[in-house]
Amino acid sequence: HIRQGSICNGSIGPNDLPPFFANVNMKTGEISNTWIDSLSAAFPGVQVLKGDLQEAICSHAFFYTIWRRYQALPERFNWQLKQVEVAFSPLRPELVESTYLLYQATKNPFYLQVGREILESLETFSRAKCGYATLHNVEDKSQEDRMESFFLSETSKYLYLLFDEDHVLNRNAEDYIFTTEGHPLRLNISYHRGLDYVGYSDAIHRSSRRRKPVDSTDKCSHWPQQQEMFLPLSRRLLGKYEQLVGL
């Protein structure tokens, strides 16, 4: 009931919706409203941790397309009306967190470019005299006189780790897991033995100890010439997300 639209990266007809998750009534399964919120941008990261990469790629593309429209992620967006429903943006970490996890899982430079664009938008629209301000309205980019603590503890942390591939948390990723508040916890090896853990840790990061540092800056600088090669989903499906968002 919750999942709407077509198969991720499968064939999609001219009248089909792209895949996304809607809010539904827990008793009837019927769609209860037509908005999604910025907190839901964490779900692609959950899908990565489960090992469901194709679905994670599509889920992330929906939120990234909303962000592209406003250069920020509004607190609520109405996908039926194609407009903002709650316009402020406190610079939440969820989209950056999912971007980081998807890059760790796929090593697709597309996600480095997403991080670069987010950084540039933060510098352009949120930078203030004493920090980075909450956007009061993502459409006119007006600022509020406050910066949430999670911007430093989560949003900035995931952006830093996205580009620092030689960081200990990335080189030994199978040994750590992040809490929902962005705190890395070391995993006990006995915990691995007790679980059928086929997601992010085992299936994706088994070779992370042997991985050489990558020049992320070089990948980003060549993005305009290579973007079609690096797209993690089809151009047709991305166009469907753009239609859904009104981009």
Side-chain angles (χ1 to χ4, degrees):
H1 295 289
I2 298 176
R3 192 185 184 285
Q4 309 293 312
S6 61
I7 298 172
C8 183
N9 271 336
S11 60
I12 183 168
N15 298 318
D16 292 339
L17 288 173
F20 69 98
F21 291 83
N23 297 323
V24 301
N25 185 295
M26 64 180 295
K27 295 181 179 179
T28 66
E30 296 179 350
I31 293 177
S32 57
N33 56 62
T34 57
W35 54 259
I36 60 170
D37 62 14
S38 60
L39 291 170
S40 303
F43 190 61
V46 175
Q47 291 174 303
V48 172
L49 294 173
K50 181 179 179 292
D52 197 353
L53 288 181
Q54 284 300 312
E55 287 291 322
I57 286 168
C58 286
S59 297
H60 177 274
F62 187 21
F63 292 99
Y64 172 55
T65 306
I66 297 172
W67 176 86
R68 283 170 56 210
R69 178 173 175 181
Y70 301 103
Q71 297 297 291
L73 202 59
E75 197 70 349
R76 282 187 187 177
F77 178 82
N78 191 306
W79 48 267
Q80 186 174 67
L81 300 177
K82 305 183 192 305
Q83 65 185 32
V84 169
E85 197 158 288
V86 178
F88 79 94
S89 175
L91 314 183
R92 293 192 185 279
E94 282 75 17
L95 178 59
V96 182
E97 177 184 6
S98 291
T99 302
Y100 165 70
L101 291 172
L102 272 164
Y103 180 66
Q104 289 297 303
T106 66
K107 291 303 171 186
N108 190 324
F110 172 83
Y111 296 108
L112 293 178
Q113 173 64 15
V114 173
R116 179 182 179 178
E117 292 177 11
I118 291 173
L119 276 171
E120 290 175 347
S121 291
L122 288 170
E123 289 293 321
T124 301
F125 302 115
S126 293
R127 185 71 180 264
K129 184 178 180 179
C130 297
Y132 290 82
T134 290
L135 293 180
H136 180 69
N137 190 311
V138 298
E139 296 185 283
D140 63 23
K141 304 300 187 293
S142 54
Q143 295 182 353
E144 296 186 8
D145 187 19
R146 65 188 177 106
M147 181 178 73
E148 300 290 350
S149 61
F150 54 67
F151 173 76
L152 293 177
S153 63
E154 298 179 70
T155 308
S156 298
K157 181 186 296 180
Y158 284 120
L159 280 170
Y160 181 88
L161 289 173
L162 174 64
F163 294 102
D164 185 10
E165 291 204 58
D166 204 37
H167 194 281
V168 63
L169 292 175
N170 292 329
R171 286 189 288 105
N172 304 286
E174 71 274 17
D175 294 334
Y176 295 90
I177 191 167
F178 287 92
T179 70
T180 56
E181 301 304 314
H183 304 303
L185 300 178
R186 192 175 185 91
L187 291 173
N188 190 304
I189 190 63
S190 62
Y191 181 71
H192 285 269
R193 296 194 186 104
L195 291 177
D196 182 21
Y197 197 49
V198 297
Y200 179 74
S201 179
D202 287 337
I204 300 167
H205 286 293
R206 184 54 57 193
S207 62
S208 63
R209 292 182 187 275
R210 300 184 296 274
R211 195 166 57 226
K212 295 180 180 180
V214 176
D215 186 351
S216 302
T217 303
D218 183 67
K219 286 182 180 179
C220 286
S221 66
H222 289 82
W223 172 255
Q225 292 77 32
Q226 300 178 11
Q227 59 180 344
E228 293 295 334
M229 183 188 304
F230 292 144
L231 277 178
L233 69 169
S234 70
R235 171 58 67 180
R236 182 180 180 85
L237 184 55
L238 186 58
K240 283 289 186 178
Y241 281 115
E242 290 171 349
Q243 291 177 20
L244 184 62
V245 170
L247 184 63

